[in-house]
Amino acid sequence: DLVVAAGGRAGRLPAWLDGLGYPRPQEERVTIDLMYASRPLRLAPGALGPDKLVLIGARPGLPRTLALAAQEEGRWLLTLGGYRGHHPPTDDEGFLAFAAGVAPPDVAAALRAAEPLGDVVTHGFPANLRRRYERLRSFPAGLLPIGDAVCSFNPLYGQGMTVAVLEAAALRRCLADGTADLARRYFAAAAPAVDHAWEMAIGGDLSLPEVEGPRPARLRAINAYVGRLQAVAEHDSVVAAAFVNVVAMLERPQRLLRPSIVRRVVMA
């Protein structure tokens, strides 16, 4: 009665629509040419004090990222990422040198003294990709896409699974009201979560001059405001909490434009 297509960004759903005589959805794409490389490590006991997680994001002029996370039994996972022209090397010396160019001194020292527990493994991600199924005027009954089959985001932002869960919740609500006009209702119910993550992902990527793409005045203004907001959040816990809640998709982006937050950002 219902097939949910969860085959990811490479799924065959657009080709199925062709075969059934339906139009393909329009696609929006922001090319980022991202690659990240991961390796398990064992750090010396207490090398980072009480810290269990270190996250360093890309910034203009240095489109590189680092994530270092504690795991079980003294293991840590180090992931280095970079946009076009800044892909992390996979040899031992190059991998550490890349990390040292991103990490604070104490983290870099801990990594140099760490014991590798496996090979460096890489993953490439060419582009943010959104398929606009909600704009189609006709869609086959009994077939719905979900997750990355609808929209695939830069994995560094950690949005994909959250959006898939929100889409599943939207599907549950729609099915509770029956199957009549299901596709239209489902796409409308899922769109706010996809819009939220998509705006954050492409806004973050297009804040980097190394990423090519159109930057309308609205996007430039938003990125300028968010840049100032992040600087204020370093010492203002109210602004920091609001920002984290939006990034974690617990609240809508409009939360950052409430007068109480704007006043703190402007007056800081």
Side-chain angles (χ1 to χ4, degrees):
D1 296 328
L2 176 63
V3 173
V4 179
R9 64 184 290 140
R12 298 284 296 159
L13 182 55
W16 296 348
L17 294 178
D18 272 346
L20 293 170
Y22 289 87
R24 285 179 176 241
Q26 296 176 339
E27 291 188 351
E28 296 179 12
R29 180 185 297 264
V30 176
T31 299
I32 58 175
D33 188 17
L34 174 77
M35 188 179 88
Y36 59 88
S38 300
R39 181 175 225 174
L41 303 170
R42 189 179 308 281
L43 271 60
L48 294 180
D51 290 348
K52 299 295 184 185
L53 178 67
V54 178
L55 290 174
I56 301 172
R59 59 183 186 270
L62 190 65
R64 301 180 177 188
T65 68
L66 179 149
L68 180 62
Q71 298 183 313
E72 299 83 3
E73 300 177 352
R75 293 167 60 95
W76 292 70
L77 183 66
L78 172 63
T79 297
L80 307 177
Y83 291 75
R84 175 182 299 164
H86 293 265
H87 291 170
T90 57
D91 63 286
D92 292 351
E93 291 187 7
F95 190 70
L96 282 175
F98 186 100
V102 181
D106 61 326
V107 176
L111 294 177
R112 283 194 298 270
E115 173 193 358
L117 299 178
D119 295 332
V120 176
V121 179
T122 63
H123 177 72
F125 186 86
N128 296 290
L129 176 63
R130 183 174 187 180
R131 296 186 172 103
R132 290 286 191 168
Y133 288 105
E134 76 278 10
R135 295 179 179 174
L136 294 177
R137 294 188 176 182
S138 60
F139 200 82
L143 175 63
L144 294 175
I146 200 168
D148 282 4
V150 176
C151 194
S152 178
F153 312 92
N154 181 337
L156 295 179
Y157 300 136
Q159 298 169 313
M161 287 186 285
T162 301
V163 172
V165 168
L166 293 173
E167 288 170 336
L171 177 58
R172 179 176 59 190
R173 294 193 301 271
C174 291
L175 288 172
D177 293 330
T179 58
D181 199 20
L182 179 60
R184 184 194 63 79
R185 292 189 292 112
Y186 164 71
F187 290 134
V194 179
D195 288 342
H196 182 166
W198 179 254
E199 290 176 6
M200 288 196 298
I202 65 170
D205 286 337
L206 291 174
S207 70
L208 304 172
E210 294 81 3
V211 173
E212 297 179 358
R215 293 169 170 81
R218 176 178 177 272
L219 179 64
R220 295 196 303 271
I222 290 173
N223 279 344
Y225 174 73
V226 171
R228 181 174 176 85
L229 182 145
Q230 288 177 309
V232 173
E234 292 182 16
H235 55 80
D236 187 320
S237 61
V238 173
V239 174
F243 179 71
V244 169
N245 284 340
V246 169
V247 170
M249 300 187 67
L250 299 174
E251 296 194 63
R252 299 286 293 157
Q254 291 82 354
R255 172 72 174 86
L256 302 180
L257 296 176
R258 290 180 182 174
S260 60
I261 299 298
V262 173
R263 189 179 308 113
R264 288 174 174 269
V265 172
V266 172
M267 299 300 293

